[in-house]
Amino acid sequence: MEDGLVRSLSAGLSQKGVRDHNERLLLSLLQRNGPMPGSDLSRLAELSPPTVSSILRRLEGEGILERGDPVRGKVGKPSIPMKLASDGVFSFGLKIGRRSTDLVLIDLNGNLREERRLTYPAPVPEDIFGFLDDSVHAIMQGMDPAHAARICGLGIAAPFEMWNWHDQSVDLSAAFIPWEHIDLRQEAQARTGLPVSLLNDATAACQAEHTYGRGKEFRDYAYFFIGAFIGGGVVLNHSVFEGRQGNAGALGSLRSIGPNGESMQLVDMASIHQLELRLREVDLDPQQLWSDPDSWHSLSRYVDPWLGQTAQELAKAALSTCSVIDFEAILIDGAFPASVRDDLVSRVRRYVVTQDTRGLIQPRIESGSIGGKARAIGAATRPIGAQFLMQASVGMTG
């Protein structure tokens, strides 16, 4: 890990009474770097070896850390790296989307342990809460009781103001209106009995990429996630920046120009929703895009022109974001197969070089790595981060 990132995680303090801070720091370093011996942790965290040793013993005793295989050097005793325990902590993540809801259970390393999916024409609240209730209890009943006791919470990723994103092309608006009067946190907590955290769905996807994907490679980047509606996230100084009201990186609201010269938003020009509309026009069921990944290839006649338009829009949006902050990279992911994502990224790269970049430093255009489950995984990351890792508001902006 580079020195700047270590400082951004905030150097540890050896004084009595700040053990929680130091525990989070060491866990964050292990999560970011992978297994390390105590000597390396002591150096990176700027904590004394006795302090680090004491914390590691405690976390090992609690089952949060475990020992790796000894590493033998040329001289002296072999070092024993410490690592995040595979069964140390678990967290649920729920993504509520316009066409589907996903529930996942991950461990402290971000490994997917369980997943469930519900698809629908429109998100009816009672259907989704029923799915959540049934799925959470079924998963917990199937777990070892000792593991179930280590579930630290439920994160929920959903678009802000869901009642405003009904589909104008079909008469489904009645399904969206009830969301305005529902307290998501309160309802989910009553159904599951777990502590509940809420975050924007695109921000959640960005958090998943930052924590478990390619986000570790970059200091500052903008992130686009193409779902039914496109959204985004912003990472500054190795931290996901959520903004004053949790809606930073609302990249879907970037201005664009429609086919007739009218003012539109990026969400109207570069979302899977546009592909759905085209499929409906030729009497094909757009639901297959969400239930059958192979359909993205069998429908190439319609997918290919959609990719072309989306790539052009993303190329312009990528440079627009860099006019505000000189991001070193733009990461692109979405709710489609990896081969489609890679094709889209390749097209965006080609379009970017044709744009007017005067006054700008051209960013790298890169693929995300998490894929369609990014929003649910990012939601599950929130309770883990809140309880065990350093947070952006605590020494993360060095």
Side-chain angles (χ1 to χ4, degrees):
M1 180 183 285
E2 62 184 79
D3 290 343
L5 177 54
V6 177
R7 286 193 294 271
S8 75
L9 286 173
S10 177
L13 305 173
S14 294
Q15 295 94 328
K16 184 178 179 181
V18 291
R19 184 175 63 181
D20 182 61
H21 171 98
N22 291 336
E23 286 178 353
R24 288 172 179 263
L25 176 59
L26 297 186
L27 289 170
S28 296
L29 289 169
L30 289 171
Q31 192 282 319
R32 197 80 177 172
N33 283 319
M36 284 192 294
S39 57
D40 289 350
L41 285 168
S42 176
R43 175 177 54 82
L44 288 173
E46 299 181 12
L47 288 167
S48 69
T51 296
V52 170
S53 178
S54 175
I55 293 173
L56 294 180
R57 283 197 304 271
R58 180 174 184 274
L59 292 174
E60 184 184 13
E62 293 179 357
I64 297 172
L65 295 182
E66 59 189 10
R67 300 183 181 220
D69 296 329
V71 177
R72 299 186 180 279
K74 295 181 179 179
V75 295
K77 296 181 179 180
S79 62
I80 301 178
M82 300 300 293
K83 61 182 181 179
L84 303 178
S86 57
D87 295 327
V89 179
F90 300 95
S91 178
F92 279 112
L94 182 76
K95 180 274 295 183
I96 301 175
R98 184 168 164 278
R99 290 290 182 256
S100 65
T101 286
D102 293 306
L103 179 74
V104 301
L105 179 73
I106 67 170
D107 60 31
L108 192 52
N109 291 294
N111 297 315
L112 196 63
R113 295 300 191 95
E114 296 281 352
E115 59 180 306
R116 303 284 191 275
R117 165 166 274 212
L118 174 70
T119 60
Y120 38 68
V124 178
E126 188 54 40
D127 292 346
I128 290 174
F129 288 123
F131 164 77
L132 172 65
D133 192 346
D134 294 344
S135 299
V136 164
H137 287 95
I139 290 172
M140 293 180 69
Q141 288 173 7
M143 296 175 69
D144 182 306
H147 291 168
R150 290 180 173 272
I151 296 174
C152 67
L154 165 69
I156 298 179
F160 285 157
E161 297 188 349
M162 285 191 287
W163 53 93
N164 282 330
W165 40 283
H166 62 270
D167 187 344
Q168 300 288 350
S169 66
V170 291
D171 187 18
L172 295 173
S173 58
F176 294 84
I177 294 173
W179 288 104
E180 184 174 5
H181 308 290
I182 291 174
D183 186 325
L184 260 178
R185 178 184 282 108
Q186 184 179 55
E187 184 68 25
Q189 190 162 327
R191 297 273 187 153
T192 65
L194 295 169
V196 175
S197 305
L198 301 180
L199 66 165
N200 174 266
D201 59 339
T203 300
C206 183
Q207 185 67 66
E209 190 67 51
H210 182 65
T211 306
Y212 301 118
R214 297 195 62 197
K216 297 178 183 181
E217 301 174 29
F218 309 103
R219 175 186 175 90
D220 306 304
Y221 60 92
Y223 173 89
F224 288 90
F225 188 90
I226 299 95
F229 292 142
I230 191 172
V234 170
V235 171
L236 300 173
N237 297 327
H238 304 290
S239 298
V240 176
F241 180 72
E242 296 188 40
R244 181 172 57 89
Q245 299 185 69
N247 199 39
L251 303 182
S253 298
L254 287 170
R255 306 314 302 177
S256 183
I257 298 174
N260 298 316
E262 69 273 33
S263 176
M264 302 187 78
Q265 292 189 352
L266 183 64
V267 70
D268 301 313
M269 302 295 294
S271 298
I272 295 176
H273 178 54
Q274 279 70 50
L275 179 56
E276 290 182 312
L277 292 177
R278 177 58 183 144
L279 293 178
R280 286 199 193 101
E281 288 174 357
V282 294
D283 295 323
L284 292 173
D285 182 9
Q287 192 65 24
Q288 61 188 302
L289 296 171
W290 310 100
S291 59
D292 179 15
D294 291 338
S295 67
W296 285 84
H297 302 293
S298 62
L299 295 171
S300 59
R301 176 182 177 183
Y302 307 101
V303 171
D304 192 70
W306 174 81
L307 281 171
Q309 175 180 311
T310 301
Q312 291 184 58
E313 293 293 333
L314 282 173
K316 292 182 287 185
L319 294 177
S320 293
T321 63
C322 290
S323 69
V324 180
I325 297 173
D326 58 340
F327 292 113
E328 61 180 303
I330 305 294
L331 269 61
I332 299 171
D333 205 350
F336 32 58
S339 59
V340 175
R341 176 188 63 208
D342 294 341
D343 187 359
L344 176 61
V345 169
S346 177
R347 293 175 187 234
V348 174
R349 287 173 178 156
R350 294 199 299 269
Y351 282 122
V352 162
V353 299
T354 68
Q355 300 295 309
D356 183 350
T357 57
R358 288 174 296 173
L360 299 175
I361 299 173
Q362 188 171 308
R364 292 171 56 181
I365 307 297
E366 300 289 342
S367 294
S369 62
I370 305 298
K373 298 183 180 67
R375 291 164 293 182
I377 292 173
T381 303
R382 174 55 61 90
I384 290 176
Q387 297 180 45
F388 296 96
L389 303 176
M390 297 295 293
Q391 298 296 289
S393 60
V394 184
M396 293 288 283
T397 58

